[in-house]
Structure formats: structure tokens, C-alpha cells
Amino acid sequence: ATVRGEVLGGVTTFAAMAYILVVNPTLLSMVFPEGERDRMIGPLAAATAVVAAVGSVAMGLYANRPLAVAPYMGENAFLAFSLATLTVAGAPITWQQRLGAVFVSGLVFLVLTLVGLRSRLSDAVSPSLKHAFAVGIGLFLAFIGLYQSGVVVSGLPGTPVKLGDLRAVKVQIAVGGFAVIAVLMAVGVRGAILLGILAAAAAGFALGVEPPPTAEFDLPFTGSSSLAPV
């Protein structure tokens, strides 16, 4: 290992997984009533960042593995959508009860790990199914991107989604950003995905689609990132 290699590896890994800082809070905010969702984005983003940081540091210092860990995309979808269909005593399940279900499942995984069954269960899953997990998560992330950019929108009953307004500025920025990434990758430019993201973000700020950041840094557990609401 070299210092340069470690730094490049760390920066590349962060750039590849930083989407979780946006996607996870957005998904988890769906757990709350519509009027409270915007207020919850800050606390959820802070929690996501802290959990990823603690997990990644533990993975390096304790497990001595070059892996970064963060909240799992399957779990937040389970929390936000799958559990939303459940009721308790005729009332919709609360977000506290949803978190309780995830906490219990975490304890079960911990017990399976401590008794040595988790690796056996993992080995019992066929390679094709393991690859399917990654493909499924990738398609899920792609669908979230299409929905948030307006390429697809919610449809009428019986039609879960439909094509959005392709003339909308937000949609055109998303499509343009994807085109920039594709062209840069085709010509072999390093960092093509990150450059495309930055280009789309700059265009969005310039055209007023989204407000630019109001600060460069924010401290977890303070101000709009306080965990008090949750």
C-alpha cells in the first residue's frame, strides 16, 4: 500500500457511494407525514453520514478490510414502502414501529453472525442470485433517479408510473447530464461520472431548478442537522 493509492482509493470510493447521503434521507423521509418530510431531510442526512463514517472506520481499523459500509438500499426501501402496507389494530404502522422491526432484524443478524450461521447462509445463496441482488439494487437506484428527475411520474390508479414532461427543464438537465457522462466515458476521460454530476448540478443551480448550497460544511447534531425531530 502507498499513501497515494490509499488516498485515491478512499476518494474514489467516497465519490461512488456519496449518493447515499441524498437518496437515503429522501427515501426515509417518505416514512413521515407529507408536511414533515422536508424538515426530516437534515436529521436523516446527518444520521446517514455518521453511520457510514463509523461503520467504515470500524471496517478499516477493526476488521482490517478495505471496504466502506453505509445504510443498505434494500433496508430503507423496506422501511419506507414495504412496511407501509401493514396495520396494527386497524391503524397504519407508525415510523417508530417500522424502526423497531428493522432493529429486531438487526439483532437477528447479529445472533446469526455470532453463532457462525451467517456465512453459511451466504454460501447457500447461488452466485446467480447474488448477482441478481446487485442488478436489482442498480435498477432500483436508476428508477429513483428517473422519478426524482421527472422522466417518469406517478400515474393514475392502475398505472403506477407514466412518462413525464420531457420538455421540462429539470428533465432536460438530467438527460443532458447523462449524455455528458456517456460521451466522457466513451472518450476515456477519468472521473467521467463525477464530472457529469457536477455539470448537471451547475446547470440546475444556474437555471434555478434547485437552490445552490447555502454553506460548504455542516456539523451533525446541530441546527438543521439536529436529530431532535427523530
Side-chain angles (χ1 to χ4, degrees):
T2 64
V3 173
R4 181 178 183 274
E6 293 297 309
V7 171
L8 285 177
V11 171
T12 302
T13 301
F14 176 81
M17 65 185 291
Y19 73 88
I20 197 71
L21 296 172
V22 178
V23 175
N24 195 51
T26 301
L27 275 180
L28 291 182
S29 68
M30 303 295 289
V31 173
F32 301 94
E34 189 169 351
E36 298 182 25
R37 291 174 184 173
D38 289 342
R39 186 170 65 96
M40 296 299 177
I41 292 293
L44 292 170
T48 301
V50 170
V51 167
V54 171
S56 298
V57 169
M59 184 66 75
L61 297 182
Y62 178 72
N64 195 29
R65 306 294 291 178
L67 302 173
V69 295
Y72 179 52
M73 288 302 301
E75 288 292 328
N76 53 24
F78 174 71
L79 193 73
F81 304 120
S82 298
L83 291 180
T85 62
L86 301 180
T87 59
V88 176
I93 188 171
T94 65
W95 65 266
Q96 291 94 335
Q97 290 168 321
R98 299 189 206 188
L99 282 179
V102 174
F103 178 73
V104 170
S105 69
L107 291 180
V108 173
F109 270 113
L110 177 61
V111 171
L112 291 175
T113 301
L114 294 176
V115 299
L117 287 179
R118 187 172 182 175
S119 58
R120 290 189 178 184
L121 291 174
S122 178
D123 292 338
V125 177
S126 67
S128 60
L129 190 56
K130 290 180 180 178
H131 292 314
F133 292 158
V135 174
I137 293 295
L139 292 173
F140 179 54
L141 288 174
F143 180 76
I144 292 173
L146 292 172
Y147 185 81
Q148 290 196 318
S149 62
V151 177
V152 298
V153 296
S154 299
L156 299 173
T159 308
V161 294
K162 62 180 181 180
L163 197 62
D165 182 8
L166 300 184
R167 295 168 296 182
V169 176
K170 188 175 183 179
V171 174
Q172 293 178 353
I173 290 175
V175 174
F178 182 81
V180 169
I181 292 173
V183 171
L184 293 178
M185 291 185 69
V187 298
V189 175
R190 299 183 70 176
I193 295 178
L194 187 58
L195 291 174
I197 292 173
L198 293 175
F205 297 152
L207 296 174
V209 175
E210 293 289 345
T214 57
E216 290 75 24
F217 300 98
D218 193 12
L219 290 175
F221 316 130
T222 62
S224 61
S225 298
S226 170
L227 298 186
V230 292

